[in-house]
Amino acid sequence: MAKPIVNQYSPDNVSPPGETLQETLYTIGMPQAELARRMGKTPKNINEIIKGKAPICPATALELERVLSISAGFWGNRERDYREALARRKEQERLQSHVAWLETIPVSAMAKKGWIPSCRDKVQKLQEVLNFFGVVDPQQWEDLWNTGAQAAFRKSPAFRSKPGAVAAWLRKGELDAQQLRCREYDESRFRRALKAIRSLTADPAEKFCPEIVRRCADAGVAVVFVPQLPGTSASGATRWLNPRKALIQLSLRYKTDDQLWFTFFHEAGHILLHGKRDVFLDELKRQKGDKEEEANNLAGEFLIPPR
């Protein structure tokens, strides 16, 4: 579940730490020129700090501590908070020009499922979506799904139908898989796990789902069940998160038990038969191709052995 939004105070006007320095000097009755003399700086430098034109660096913070008996940590924190506030204000202005991109992402459905916090402000909503995808702005999202490691998913008709929705579904599977502790992938152990899982096909879902997850994790394969978003038709996806950990992602939409089991073993076939750089996004209606046919055959052999 997404974390609830905590109310945060974001002031419109952020004062530089130099204002605090100026107030301190006024309180103790010390002119700027006197502070400059005691610190070995020019009056111009002190004036630039007070006006926020020059930062309070760690060395300056130590000097202020020695002269004014106010800790260097206080001045360092004041400077850091000020610079962060300026950066956030600049980011708000930059993101404002990207809010239209949200129309390509099923934000309401994601919030309803608890994948992201629900919020009304468009810029904040955009920030939550970017946080979910782990990118800094929509351009980075486009680069990732057009030319990055995720670009292979675009070959699938399931992705081309609604790329924003399918990308969100895939990302949720990736996030869930990151939370699963898995042993390093071992093909022999995975094949043994599949044979043991085959015996679970007559059990109810509440029993076989956690057992699938446990047995596959022991073989280095993360299995996650992610409900679909509206407008998507993917039944499963397979990819490698790293050379030691594979991911099988399954949706449960419009599925009977036999369809679920065939999809699971089909995705397992991709892991056993195909390369670690391959990614597969499968629809309820099976795609054609040599690798898809190979995965289909392996799934059939596991479910109904030739003998």
Side-chain angles (χ1 to χ4, degrees):
M1 295 289 290
K3 294 181 180 180
I5 295 177
V6 178
N7 290 329
Q8 296 181 336
Y9 173 61
S10 299
D12 292 332
N13 297 311
V14 182
S15 64
E19 288 192 8
T20 303
L21 176 58
Q22 186 176 34
E23 292 172 1
T24 301
L25 294 178
Y26 177 80
T27 300
I28 64 177
M30 180 184 292
Q32 293 183 27
E34 177 65 14
L35 176 65
R37 188 177 68 83
R38 289 172 180 265
M39 293 177 62
K41 297 182 180 299
T42 65
K44 179 181 178 182
N45 184 231
I46 296 300
N47 188 257
E48 287 178 341
I49 291 175
I50 288 176
K51 292 184 176 181
K53 295 180 179 180
I56 298 178
C57 65
T60 300
L62 287 171
E63 292 168 352
L64 288 172
E65 176 183 84
R66 190 163 295 119
V67 175
L68 300 176
S69 298
I70 298 176
S71 73
F74 170 82
W75 296 112
N77 291 337
R78 187 74 171 80
E79 180 68 33
R80 183 200 63 216
D81 292 345
Y82 173 63
R83 299 300 167 182
E84 180 181 332
L86 290 181
R88 289 188 180 279
R89 177 190 291 177
K90 188 175 181 180
E91 183 191 45
Q92 290 273 329
E93 296 171 354
R94 179 178 62 84
L95 291 180
Q96 187 67 48
S97 63
H98 293 298
V99 294
W101 174 75
L102 289 173
E103 297 178 5
T104 67
I105 306 296
V107 179
S108 297
M110 293 166 65
K112 188 175 181 180
K113 290 181 180 296
W115 296 3
I116 58 174
S118 179
C119 48
R120 293 183 178 180
D121 181 78
K122 290 185 178 181
V123 172
Q124 187 176 8
K125 190 180 297 184
L126 175 58
Q127 290 174 325
E128 295 297 343
V129 172
L130 294 174
N131 290 343
F132 173 82
F133 281 109
V135 294
V136 298
D137 58 41
Q139 183 58 56
Q140 297 303 319
W141 187 93
E142 293 289 346
D143 291 344
L144 181 66
W145 291 97
N146 279 315
T147 60
Q150 312 292 358
F153 283 120
R154 286 190 172 272
K155 297 178 182 178
S156 169
F159 188 97
R160 291 196 296 267
S161 59
K162 284 197 174 182
V166 178
W169 181 74
L170 291 168
R171 173 60 172 167
K172 185 62 168 70
E174 182 179 73
L175 292 173
D176 289 352
Q178 289 174 357
Q179 302 303 313
L180 283 177
R181 297 186 61 181
C182 297
R183 296 179 63 173
E184 187 169 331
Y185 176 74
D186 184 281
E187 181 179 338
S188 298
R189 193 182 295 121
F190 186 45
R191 287 184 179 274
R192 291 195 298 271
L194 292 176
K195 290 180 180 179
I197 290 171
R198 169 64 180 84
S199 65
L200 302 174
T201 54
D203 294 335
E206 58 269 19
K207 180 178 179 180
F208 69 68
C209 283
E211 193 65 14
I212 289 176
V213 173
R214 184 186 69 80
R215 289 182 179 273
C216 288
D218 190 56
V221 179
V223 177
V224 296
F225 297 89
V226 181
Q228 281 208 325
L229 292 166
T232 58
S233 60
S235 59
T238 305
R239 62 216 192 260
W240 288 82
L241 299 176
N242 58 59
R244 302 174 302 280
K245 184 177 182 180
L247 166 61
I248 292 178
Q249 181 172 343
L250 302 171
S251 69
L252 301 175
R253 190 179 184 187
Y254 303 135
K255 285 192 172 299
T256 59
D257 287 346
D258 58 332
Q259 290 174 314
L260 170 62
W261 282 113
F262 189 86
T263 299
F264 167 73
F265 282 105
H266 174 91
E267 303 303 332
H270 284 312
I271 292 175
L272 291 172
L273 301 174
H274 305 134
K276 293 185 177 182
R277 293 186 177 182
D278 291 331
V279 297
F280 300 93
L281 179 59
D282 298 306
E283 297 181 274
L284 295 175
K285 183 179 180 181
R286 294 291 167 192
Q287 301 176 50
K288 296 181 180 180
D290 293 341
K291 291 184 177 180
E292 295 299 330
E293 193 61 32
E294 290 170 356
N296 285 342
N297 291 337
L298 186 140
E301 291 174 3
F302 265 108
L303 288 168
I304 306 176
R307 67 179 179 274

